[in-house]
Amino acid sequence: MLRAASRKYPGIRAALLLLLLLAAVPSEAAGTVSVDVGAVYASNEGTSIDPALGTIRGKLQSMFNYTSYSMLDRKRRTLSVGETGEFELPGRRTMRATLLPAQGDKVRLSIQISDGSRKLLATTLGLRRGGMVLVGGPSHKAGVLILIISAE
C-alpha cells in the first residue's frame, strides 16, 4: 500500500523519510543534563577527610597537596541546552554553568566563576555523562576551594 501510494504521490516517500529523520533527533528532554557542583574546602589544617568525600578521596589526594578536605556545600540544577544555571559558592563567589550542544554521551559546559564583578575563571569543560571534573581554585580561609563538577 505504501509503495502504491508513493508511486501515485511521489512526494510521500520524501515526507516519510523526513518524518523518520526527525524522529531520530533527540527530544528536548533528552537535551537536559543534571549538573551537580560540590564545594570542598582543602587546607593543611589538620588531617581529616570528610566521610562525604569517601568515593573521591584518592583523587583529591593524588591531585592536590593538602592534608584536610571537607565538603562545604553541594547544589544541583537541571539544565537544557543553551540554559544557564547559577551556583552560589562559599566566600560570596558564584559559578555560572551553561549547557552547550554535544553529541552522544558527551556533556559540554561553559563555566564562569566570579567574585563579585571580578571573573576568576572562564572555561569550557567536556566530560561524559556521569563523569566528573575537579577544579582547584580560589583561596578560601587558610586553604582553597576545590569544585567537584559532575553531569548526568
Side-chain angles (χ1 to χ4, degrees):
M1 179 153 162
L2 180 60
R3 192 173 287 164
S6 66
R7 275 189 224 133
K8 189 173 181 180
Y9 304 101
I12 198 165
R13 184 178 284 170
L16 286 173
L17 182 59
L18 180 61
L19 286 174
L20 288 173
L21 288 174
L22 289 175
V25 174
S27 67
E28 190 63 32
T32 63
V33 171
S34 181
V35 178
D36 187 269
V37 177
V40 176
Y41 173 56
S43 74
N44 288 317
E45 296 179 326
T47 57
S48 65
I49 297 181
D50 191 327
L53 300 170
T55 59
I56 63 164
R57 176 185 185 147
K59 286 181 184 178
L60 287 168
Q61 291 176 316
S62 69
M63 292 178 69
F64 303 99
N65 193 23
Y66 295 97
T67 58
S68 178
Y69 299 89
S70 63
M71 179 70 85
L72 297 180
D73 197 10
R74 191 170 187 175
K75 292 185 172 49
R76 180 179 292 250
R77 305 272 186 279
T78 299
L79 302 176
S80 298
V81 173
E83 184 179 7
T84 299
E86 189 163 302
F87 299 82
E88 292 181 29
L89 302 175
R92 294 181 289 156
R93 297 179 179 103
T94 58
M95 183 186 103
R96 294 174 55 92
T98 304
L99 183 61
L100 302 174
Q103 295 185 356
D105 69 343
K106 305 290 186 215
V107 174
R108 290 181 58 231
L109 293 169
S110 172
I111 302 292
Q112 292 183 348
I113 299 173
S114 303
D115 186 355
S117 61
R118 190 174 68 140
K119 279 189 185 175
L120 301 177
L121 174 71
T123 191
T124 299
L125 301 177
L127 60 157
R128 286 189 166 167
R129 268 189 196 263
M132 165 183 40
V133 174
L134 301 176
V135 178
S139 60
H140 186 72
K141 298 181 182 179
V144 298
L145 286 180
I146 298 171
L147 301 180
I148 304 167
I149 302 170
S150 62
E152 297 177 8

